[in-house]
């Protein structure tokens, strides 16, 4: 199994809602990542988990809250988002902390 | 923060022609990677070149790395309409953990 699975594919939420994005991989990878991508822009790193511990937080606002319940799962909890947070949110994993990233198809988030 | 800059920003060629994309970066790296992204989809890893390598081939792809100039190029030979996508270079810093993407080149291959 060489897939990274992200759910939901599409999410529309209001600014007062609480929602979560989910990511799952069964490749035994020890590093997992959240990226944010706006239209026609490169992916921007948000968070890195290594061995289920948060290793990097790229100064992301606290309305985004990551969680790594186990080595296969990565969540991104969303609360009180702004319309400018609308973007494609990409999850990725890698066998080690450097090298090839395996990406999911992304969750397209729209904040109204 | 963005590590790499790519040029051109957009490239339009005929099927069968070669496409060359360039990437420059700023800091010391462990490796440099190239990814492809079809519109609105996830990124797909194409090739990785380590900092001690100068050239690498994979099928119709050829990547070069010049660490003295902090630059890399991706050549796609005999392009096909299916190669139409955005291409990003990405660098892993020597500390690891951070894979940072360049601005990307949008390639359009006309059939």
């Amino acid at each position: 199994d060489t897939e990274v699975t992200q759910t939901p594919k599409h999410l529309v939420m209001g600014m007062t809602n609480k929602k979560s994005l989910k990511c799952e991989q069964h490749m035994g990878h020890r590093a997992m990542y959240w990226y944010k991508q706006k239209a026609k822009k490169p992916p921007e790193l948000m968070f890195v988990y290594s061995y289920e511990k948060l290793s990097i937080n790229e100064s992301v606002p606290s309305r985004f809250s990551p969680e790594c319940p186990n080595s296969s799962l990565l969540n991104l909890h969303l609360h009180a988002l702004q319309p400018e947070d609308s973007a494609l949110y990409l999850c990725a994993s890698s066998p080690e902390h450097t090298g090839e990233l395996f990406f999911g198809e992304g969750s397209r988030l729209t904040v109204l | 923060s963005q590590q790499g800059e790519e040029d051109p920003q957009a490239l339009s060629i005929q099927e069968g022609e070669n496409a060359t994309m360039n990437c420059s970066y700023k800091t010391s790296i462990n490796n440099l990677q190239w990814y492809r992204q079809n519109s609105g989809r996830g990124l797909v890893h194409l090739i990785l070149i380590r900092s001690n390598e100068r050239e690498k081939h994979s099928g119709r792809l050829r990547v070069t790395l010049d660490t003295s100039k902090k630059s890399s190029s991706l050549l796609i030979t005999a392009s096909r309409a299916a190669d139409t996508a955005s291409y990003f270079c990405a660098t892993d810093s020597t500390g690891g953990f951070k894979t940072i993407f360049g601005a990307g080149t949008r390639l359009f291959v006309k059939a």
Side-chain angles (χ1 to χ4, degrees):
Chain A
D1 186 355
T2 57
E3 279 191 351
V4 175
T5 304
Q6 288 188 245
T7 56
K9 287 186 172 21
H10 299 276
L11 178 63
V12 180
M13 61 185 290
M15 289 189 283
T16 58
N17 291 157
K18 286 185 181 181
K19 297 285 185 182
S20 297
L21 305 180
K22 297 184 184 302
C23 175
E24 190 168 2
Q25 57 89 12
H26 294 288
M27 296 176 279
H29 290 174
R30 308 312 296 190
M32 295 186 77
Y33 310 75
W34 280 114
Y35 283 85
K36 172 184 176 180
Q37 187 179 29
K38 303 282 269 185
K40 298 185 179 179
K41 296 292 186 181
E44 293 181 10
L45 184 63
M46 299 175 72
F47 302 104
V48 180
Y49 273 83
S50 176
Y51 290 89
E52 302 164 44
K53 294 196 185 315
L54 184 64
S55 297
I56 292 176
N57 176 344
E58 289 286 89
S59 302
V60 178
S62 60
R63 58 185 183 269
F64 295 92
S65 175
E67 179 196 20
C68 190
N70 59 55
S71 61
S72 299
L73 292 174
L74 187 65
N75 297 323
L76 186 62
H77 302 299
L78 314 171
H79 175 54
L81 295 193
Q82 304 297 311
E84 59 264 29
D85 296 321
S86 298
L88 182 67
Y89 288 84
L90 293 160
C91 174
S93 68
S94 63
E96 300 173 0
H97 66 278
T98 184
E100 177 182 355
L101 298 181
F102 293 74
F103 279 87
E105 289 292 342
S107 293
R108 173 79 56 191
L109 174 67
T110 302
V111 182
L112 300 177
Chain B
S1 60
Q2 212 164 288
Q3 162 76 309
E5 299 296 328
E6 291 177 65
D7 77 88
Q9 289 186 340
L11 181 60
S12 181
I13 59 174
Q14 293 289 135
E15 211 168 25
E17 293 180 340
N18 295 342
T20 299
M21 288 159 264
N22 303 296
C23 167
S24 62
Y25 57 92
K26 298 173 184 173
T27 62
S28 297
I29 60 171
N30 271 340
N31 60 65
L32 186 142
Q33 304 165 54
W34 287 89
Y35 290 80
R36 184 186 74 213
Q37 184 179 34
N38 287 68
S39 182
R41 306 289 298 276
L43 283 80
V44 175
H45 183 265
L46 296 175
I47 196 166
L48 179 151
I49 186 164
R50 301 193 187 285
S51 58
N52 60 355
E53 297 176 310
R54 292 297 167 258
E55 187 172 312
K56 203 161 183 181
H57 297 253
S58 177
R60 294 185 295 113
L61 305 180
R62 173 178 169 256
V63 169
T64 61
L65 179 64
D66 187 335
T67 53
S68 66
K69 295 181 180 178
K70 290 187 168 61
S71 67
S72 174
S73 68
L74 171 68
L75 169 67
I76 303 174
T77 60
S79 62
R80 305 166 182 168
D83 294 328
T84 295
S86 292
Y87 291 82
F88 295 95
C89 69
T91 53
D92 282 1
S93 61
T94 50
F97 289 110
K98 283 192 180 187
T99 300
I100 303 298
F101 287 82
T105 294
R106 284 177 284 128
L107 174 65
F108 181 64
V109 182
K110 293 176 280 188

